[in-house]
Amino acid sequence: TLFRSYSEDKRRRLLNDLFLLAAFILTALFIWFINLNAVQGEYIRVTVTDGDAGSYYDYPLGIDGYVIILQGDEPSVSFMDDDTFADGTLQTSFDKSGYNALRISGGYVDMISADCDEQICVHSNPISKTGESIVCLPHGVTVTVYGSKKDTDDKSYDSVTW
């Protein structure tokens, strides 16, 4: 009925288009289902990579505050629970070669300030679900959400770290 008015070639293209549309819809539903079942995280791990070495710091998502990462010869990471960022920028100047500032608020974490060129990390969305991450490549900073403190203590190797 619908296909009778089309030639064989047009029928085949229309059928292929319908299969492609169905595949897109199924893929979107699959991604939506995975995100729907994502678990709210409890901790974040801030990893600072300096050359070949790296260090990490764990913070609970339940305590509101700011995490300041200062780059330099020896990167330093500190947690502040006061309102240091009135207008979203650092109130003091640092003589280090770079900084990143994270805000933990309401169970979410987001990068609110950094002095890297592209500012991709600053423009990323706040994260709160297990497995989500924010990355600042110029400064070697990675923020990853974990489900529990036990998840952050896992020292086993996987195919990426091996």
Side-chain angles (χ1 to χ4, degrees):
T1 57
L2 174 66
F3 294 111
R4 287 185 188 185
S5 62
Y6 292 116
S7 67
E8 182 66 29
D9 187 44
K10 285 185 180 182
R11 274 189 242 146
R12 190 173 302 133
R13 276 193 266 158
L14 181 61
L15 192 58
N16 288 341
D17 289 345
L18 290 175
F19 282 131
L20 185 62
L21 180 62
F24 281 136
I25 290 172
L26 288 175
T27 303
L29 287 174
F30 179 73
I31 292 171
W32 176 76
F33 182 72
I34 288 175
N35 287 333
L36 182 68
N37 292 328
V39 177
Q40 177 71 25
E42 294 179 21
Y43 284 86
I44 62 166
R45 172 166 284 174
V46 178
T47 306
V48 181
T49 307
D50 185 27
D52 292 335
S55 53
Y56 62 88
Y57 309 86
D58 295 333
Y59 299 99
L61 277 175
I63 299 175
D64 293 351
Y66 298 92
V67 178
I68 310 301
I69 303 125
L70 298 176
Q71 307 297 325
D73 295 335
E74 289 189 30
S76 67
V77 178
S78 59
F79 181 82
M80 296 185 214
D81 58 1
D82 62 334
D83 194 15
T84 308
F85 305 96
D87 60 353
T89 60
L90 289 171
Q91 298 268 332
T92 58
S93 61
F94 299 110
D95 58 353
K96 304 283 182 176
S97 63
Y99 71 89
N100 293 75
L102 298 168
R103 176 178 47 213
I104 302 172
S105 177
Y108 287 86
V109 61
D110 63 330
M111 187 84 64
I112 59 170
S113 184
D115 66 346
C116 53
D117 293 332
E118 298 289 326
Q119 298 285 302
I120 294 172
C121 55
V122 176
H123 297 299
S124 63
N125 290 329
I127 58 175
S128 66
K129 306 283 189 209
T130 301
E132 292 180 326
S133 61
I134 298 174
V135 179
C136 180
L137 286 178
H139 292 157
V141 174
T142 304
V143 182
T144 306
V145 179
Y146 287 93
S148 67
K149 184 69 172 156
K150 183 178 132 304
D151 293 342
T152 63
D153 292 337
D154 185 16
K155 303 286 189 234
S156 64
Y157 292 104
D158 62 10
S159 61
V160 176
T161 57
W162 181 253

